[in-house]
Amino acid sequence: MWSVYAVGAAFFAALTAIFAKLGVGNVDSNLATAIRTSFILVLTWGIVLCTGAARGLRSLDGHTLFFLLLSALATGLSWLCYFKAMQLGDVSRVAPVDKLSVPLAMILAMVFLHEPVSLKVIAGGLLITAGSLLLLF
C-alpha cells in the first residue's frame, strides 16, 4: 500500500513544480512560500479535523514533537530554496535536481536509521544522482 501513496506523492510533487513555477513569476519567492504554506496549513488541519485524527494530539510526547519540529524546519528551508530556484530556473532542470533529496535520504536512512542496503538500493540511488547531476551541470 505504501507504493500507491509514494506514486501519489510523486504525481503531486510534479504538479507542485508546474504550479510553483506559474505562481512565483510576479511575487517574491519567500512570500509565495508563506502563502503556499498557509494554504497547506488550512488543508491539512481540515483533513485532521474531518477524519478525527486530532484525537491523537493528547498522546504526543516531547520526542515526537521535537522531531516533527526538526522536520518542519527542514521542510520550510527546503521550500524556500525550491521556490527561489523555481523563480530563477527552468522546471525541467530544477525539479530533477531537487530530487537529489532521494539519494541523500537513502544515505541518511542507512547511516542514522540503519536501514538495509542492497545492490538494488545502491544502483537506484546512483542512477538518480547521475540524472540529477547531468541536468545540474
Side-chain angles (χ1 to χ4, degrees):
M1 191 63 180
W2 67 265
S3 60
V4 173
Y5 287 105
V7 170
F11 174 74
F12 289 116
L15 288 178
T16 298
I18 301 303
F19 297 152
K21 182 65 177 181
L22 293 170
V24 297
N26 298 321
V27 65
D28 178 80
S29 63
N30 295 330
L31 176 59
T33 303
I35 293 168
R36 171 193 186 203
T37 304
S38 299
F39 288 138
I40 292 169
L41 181 69
V42 171
L43 172 70
T44 54
W45 274 110
I47 291 169
V48 165
L49 294 171
C50 288
T51 62
R55 290 186 297 263
L57 283 170
R58 288 173 248 179
S59 64
L60 294 176
D61 60 13
H63 179 267
T64 300
L65 289 173
F66 176 71
F67 282 104
L68 289 176
L69 170 66
L70 290 179
S71 176
L73 292 173
T75 298
L77 292 171
S78 172
W79 288 355
L80 289 168
C81 292
Y82 183 76
F83 264 51
K84 190 63 172 180
M86 278 296 177
Q87 192 171 50
L88 300 173
D90 296 331
V91 171
S92 60
R93 296 183 71 199
V94 172
V97 171
D98 174 62
K99 296 311 173 213
L100 278 172
S101 63
V102 174
L104 290 171
M106 294 163 79
I107 292 167
L108 293 172
M110 289 179 231
V111 172
F112 294 108
L113 303 176
H114 309 290
E115 290 189 1
V117 182
S118 68
L119 188 57
K120 191 173 167 180
V121 168
I122 292 169
L126 289 173
L127 288 169
I128 294 167
T129 302
S132 294
L133 291 177
L134 180 65
L135 293 170
L136 183 60
F137 299 110

